[in-house]
Amino acid sequence: MKALWRDLRTHLRADFRPDLYGATALWVTVLIAVNYYVDLEDSYIDSHQGKPIWPFLYFCLYATAYYGSVWLWTYFHKRPDVWRSRDFWLRSGTALICYSIYAGFYAHSYWSRQLFDGQIYVFAYYCLHNLQSVLTIVLPLYLFYTFVDPYSSSFYGVAPKRKGLGLYAILLGLMIPLITLASFQPDFLQSYPTYHDTGANEFFGVPEWVTALVYELCYGWDFVPTELLFRGFLVIGMSKALGRGAVLPMIVWYCTVHFGRPLGEAISSLFGGYLLGVLALSTRSIWGGLLIHIGIAWGMELAAFLQGVSR
């Protein structure tokens, strides 16, 4: 655990510049202000839901956030060579295309209508929505890893490693009182639990806890490709092109993924994403991030469930 805190300090000493971090903070503040002032993600981008332009609009949002942050890093570190790097463009382009298609994917709506003649449409929709990342993120990145990436010895941090898991467990434990406190807030209970009774248990003839468990497993899975792309591909993989500079642009893009959610969640994603990015770079593993991400997600679901039972 001490070694990991030492790694964090080492990263800050090597990468931290007041001008760079200040400019990046200003850039992400502009992105957040524009989004929450005009409701860009919810009212404009998502108004094109199900149309071919939908993933393209997400691509424009994510590319603006990411490449703007990379430009700041290259400017302050005097690294214009990055923009001439084929490896950088190949990696960043692959990540942007994959995640934009994932964000604007809508085929699961059609599949849900076809499954059991649409009798469990709502339940199937939410489960397939969380599982579609197998096709849109995991498979493309695996093909990139197998046929294109000449550097990686593991699938972008997927190989299990014990280093740092104790620290991640402590960080997760520290989140428990915060989740408990948040569960008493009205806006929290408006968003969680994400599971709702859809009658699917009656269709299958099983207790509701079974369909709830299936849903929560699908919900938890959706954080796997998120960690794989942001901490695995964009940090561990992109470090071949940007070195330690891979972390800062990643967290700006990661923040825009939280647009449409409460403002506090978007802001906190910057700090959480930075810590997870640095630790992923240190451990060369995404398993700690998965522990925290899925643990927090299921913790919020459980807290909301318990609040509902107590009322």
Side-chain angles (χ1 to χ4, degrees), residues 126-175:
Y126 285 110
C127 289
L128 292 175
H129 171 73
N130 289 320
L131 294 175
Q132 54 98 348
S133 56
V134 174
L135 296 176
T136 54
I137 294 180
V138 177
L139 180 59
L141 292 189
Y142 184 75
L143 293 175
F144 186 96
Y145 160 75
T146 303
F147 297 107
V148 180
D149 198 340
Y151 303 107
S152 295
S153 58
S154 66
F155 185 34
Y156 307 119
V158 169
K161 293 184 179 180
R162 295 182 59 185
K163 180 182 178 181
L165 289 183
L167 174 60
Y168 287 113
I170 292 174
L171 293 175
L172 180 58
L174 293 175
M175 291 301 300

Side-chain angles (χ1 to χ4, degrees), residues 52-66:
I53 196 175
W54 194 28
F56 174 74
L57 292 175
Y58 272 117
F59 179 90
C60 292
L61 170 64
Y62 299 149
T64 299
Y66 186 72

Side-chain angles (χ1 to χ4, degrees), residues 88-230:
F88 166 73
W89 286 109
L90 194 58
R91 291 177 189 277
S92 61
T94 298
L96 285 164
I97 290 171
C98 286
Y99 202 83
S100 299
I101 292 175
Y102 161 81
F105 193 82
Y106 207 64
H108 57 277
S109 178
Y110 171 78
W111 298 338
S112 303
R113 291 191 183 95
Q114 302 302 310
L115 191 65
F116 298 109
D117 295 324
Q119 296 181 65
I120 55 166
Y121 170 79
V122 175
F123 178 76
Y125 175 90
Y126 285 110
C127 289
L128 292 175
H129 171 73
N130 289 320
L131 294 175
Q132 54 98 348
S133 56
V134 174
L135 296 176
T136 54
I137 294 180
V138 177
L139 180 59
L141 292 189
Y142 184 75
L143 293 175
F144 186 96
Y145 160 75
T146 303
F147 297 107
V148 180
D149 198 340
Y151 303 107
S152 295
S153 58
S154 66
F155 185 34
Y156 307 119
V158 169
K161 293 184 179 180
R162 295 182 59 185
K163 180 182 178 181
L165 289 183
L167 174 60
Y168 287 113
I170 292 174
L171 293 175
L172 180 58
L174 293 175
M175 291 301 300
I176 294 177
L178 297 178
I179 293 173
T180 302
L181 180 63
S183 70
F184 289 93
Q185 306 305 312
D187 59 342
F188 178 92
L189 295 176
Q190 289 176 0
S191 301
Y192 298 98
T194 60
Y195 171 82
H196 299 285
D197 182 14
T198 62
N201 62 303
E202 298 176 2
F203 176 83
F204 289 114
V206 297
E208 187 182 354
W209 70 264
V210 175
T211 50
L213 177 61
V214 171
Y215 169 85
E216 292 295 343
L217 289 174
C218 294
Y219 178 58
W221 159 262
D222 197 41
F223 294 96
V224 175
T226 298
E227 288 298 316
L228 174 63
L229 188 137
F230 284 96

Side-chain angles (χ1 to χ4, degrees), residues 28 32 251-252 254-255 265-275:
V28 77
I32 291 173
I251 67 168
V252 176
Y254 185 60
C255 177
E265 189 171 346
I267 295 174
S268 65
S269 70
L270 291 164
F271 301 97
Y274 186 86
L275 179 61

